[in-house]
């Protein structure tokens, strides 16, 4: 996986987890409840029966498994909806441009901080900071830390579903352009990105444990537990622009698609639960929303 594609995947992982914006790591104990699901059926009020599936954008290769119920519902759908097209050349070009900055990374921190960071990257990540000096700090976490957490050849639920959609000749629709997703980084200035990146490096071992916990909750299909854990990390402002505002923007385009044809919607799992999650927003509009267990 090349550096830009890795950073793109990391961007979507960020949009699921909010880890890149985390300044602290808090453990959360969430009991496992029976009858939980990442896949939900949406029907009623003129909608063609459709399905919403919560993805985890990147997982370690040995933890990847696409449930048969998910493949079955995708196969029966006519339209498949994603957040963005990860295969888009525009995404790679946009990432190449967006991640670059004019000044070097060491100009954003003290000499002591930079020397410490360079030593950590060399010793713990086996990389050379010289190759990353002009990459924005908001992207560095995705390029340097997540590959170490997830392995250097992780699997993507989104890409696996996109491959199936193309193989089965489905109509593919995206909710956001690459430029719109990349623009989310511009909402945080370079100085704040720098401090957040340094905090993530300082807490790398604890964040790796948090990632493991999140993956466990995901594989248990525990949406509420996953959402609670993410909320413990995100500040209210980040929660708004990473999840809530985007859910509101997506709602009517999704309803329009589902009224037109049976649709399969695949978005980051954190977009589904919560008061402002897609599931509650659909219910509030009067649609029937039910978990799919098999």
């Amino acid at each position: 996986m090349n550096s830009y594609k890795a950073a793109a995947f990391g961007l979507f992982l960020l949009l699921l987890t909010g880890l890149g914006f985390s300044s602290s790591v808090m453990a959360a104990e969430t009991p496992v409840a029976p009858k939980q699901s990442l896949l939900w059926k949406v029907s009623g009020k003129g909608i063609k029966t459709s399905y919403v599936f919560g993805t985890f954008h990147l997982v370690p290769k040995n933890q990847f498994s696409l449930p048969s119920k998910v493949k079955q519902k995708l196969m029966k759908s006519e339209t498949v909806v994603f957040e963005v097209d990860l295969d888009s050349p525009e995404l790679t070009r946009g990432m190449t441009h967006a991640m670059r900055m004019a000044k070097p990374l060491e100009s954003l921190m003290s000499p002591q901080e930079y020397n410490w960071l360079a030593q950590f990257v060399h010793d713990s990540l086996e990389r050379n900071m010289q190759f990353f000096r002009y990459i924005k700090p908001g992207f560095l976490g995705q390029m340097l830390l997540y590959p170490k957490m997830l392995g250097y050849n992780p699997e993507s639920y989104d890409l696996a579903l996109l491959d199936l959609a193309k193989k089965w000749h489905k109509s593919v629709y995206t909710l956001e352009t690459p430029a719109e997703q990349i623009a989310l980084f511009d909402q945080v200035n370079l100085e704040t990105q720098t401090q957040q990146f340094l905090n993530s490096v300082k807490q790398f071992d604890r964040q790796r444990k948090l990632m493991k916990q999140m993956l466990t909750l995901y594989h248990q299909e525990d949406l509420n537990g996953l959402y609670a854990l993410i909320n413990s990390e995100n500040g209210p402002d980040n929660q708004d622009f990473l999840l809530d505002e985007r859910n509101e923007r997506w709602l009517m385009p999704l309803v329009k698609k589902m009224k037109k044809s049976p649709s399969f919607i695949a978005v980051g799992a954190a977009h589904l639960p919560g008061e402002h999650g897609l599931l509650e927003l659909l219910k509030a509009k009067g649609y029937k929303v039910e978990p799919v267990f098999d």
Side-chain angles (χ1 to χ4, degrees), residues 119-155:
Q119 195 67 49
F120 173 87
V121 170
H122 178 271
D123 294 346
S124 299
L125 306 181
E126 301 177 342
R127 309 294 288 273
N128 188 332
M129 273 305 303
Q130 285 297 315
F131 296 111
F132 302 98
R133 290 173 58 229
Y134 289 90
I135 304 296
K136 292 178 182 177
F139 287 89
L140 280 178
Q142 328 313 318
M143 297 180 72
L144 294 173
L145 302 183
Y146 288 148
K148 187 70 172 180
M149 290 182 187
L150 299 169
Y152 287 93
N153 191 26
E155 294 284 351

